C-alpha cells in the first residue's frame, strides 16, 4: 500500500494507525507516514472574516501568503514575482 510514496501515493490508510488494516500490500491507501494537514478555519472564524471589510481581509491574506512564500521559495525570484502580482 505504499508504492510511489510520497509523491504518487494515495491518501494515508485510516485503518493502519489503529492496527486494523487487513489488506497489507494490496491496500490502495498509503501505509507510510504523512504530514498532518494544516488546520482550517472553523465556522466562527469564517464568519468573522466574512464580516470584515474587504480591504482588511485582503491585507490579512496577503500577509499570510507572503509569509508562506518566504518559507517555500528562494527569496529573490519568487517573492519578486509575487510582489509584482500584488501591485
Amino acid at each position: 500500500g505504499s508504492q510511489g510514496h510520497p509523491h504518487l501515493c494515495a491518501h494515508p490508510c485510516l485503518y493502519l494507525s489503529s492496527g486494523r488494516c487487513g489488506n497489507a500490500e494490496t491496500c490502495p491507501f498509503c501505509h507510510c507516514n504523512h504530514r498532518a494537514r494544516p488546520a482550517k478555519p472553523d465556522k466562527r472564524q469564517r464568519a468573522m472574516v466574512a464580516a470584515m471589510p474587504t480591504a482588511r481581509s485582503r491585507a490579512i491574506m496577503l500577509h499570510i501568503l507572503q509569509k508562506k512564500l518566504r518559507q517555500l521559495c528562494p527569496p529573490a525570484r519568487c517573492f519578486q514575482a509575487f510582489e509584482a502580482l500584488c501591485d
Side-chain angles (χ1 to χ4, degrees), residues 42-86:
D42 61 22
K43 187 176 183 178
R44 181 187 59 82
Q45 292 166 329
R46 289 191 307 266
M48 186 173 66
V49 171
M52 281 183 190
T54 304
R56 176 75 175 136
S57 63
R58 284 184 182 168
I60 291 170
M61 292 303 293
L62 179 61
H63 175 74
I64 293 168
L65 289 172
Q66 287 171 336
K67 185 176 176 181
K68 287 189 179 284
L69 187 64
R70 284 188 191 105
Q71 293 171 349
L72 296 174
C73 293
R77 292 193 337 210
C78 291
F79 195 70
Q80 288 172 353
F82 182 74
E83 286 292 317
L85 289 173
C86 294

Side-chain angles (χ1 to χ4, degrees), residues 5-63:
H5 180 81
H7 303 291
L8 301 175
C9 63
H11 296 286
C13 178
L14 299 176
Y15 296 105
L16 183 70
S17 63
S18 63
R20 296 182 291 146
C21 182
N23 295 327
E25 277 121 36
T26 61
C27 182
F29 299 99
C30 189
H31 284 196
C32 291
N33 290 330
H34 283 254
R35 291 187 297 175
R37 292 182 180 181
K40 294 183 179 180
D42 61 22
K43 187 176 183 178
R44 181 187 59 82
Q45 292 166 329
R46 289 191 307 266
M48 186 173 66
V49 171
M52 281 183 190
T54 304
R56 176 75 175 136
S57 63
R58 284 184 182 168
I60 291 170
M61 292 303 293
L62 179 61
H63 175 74

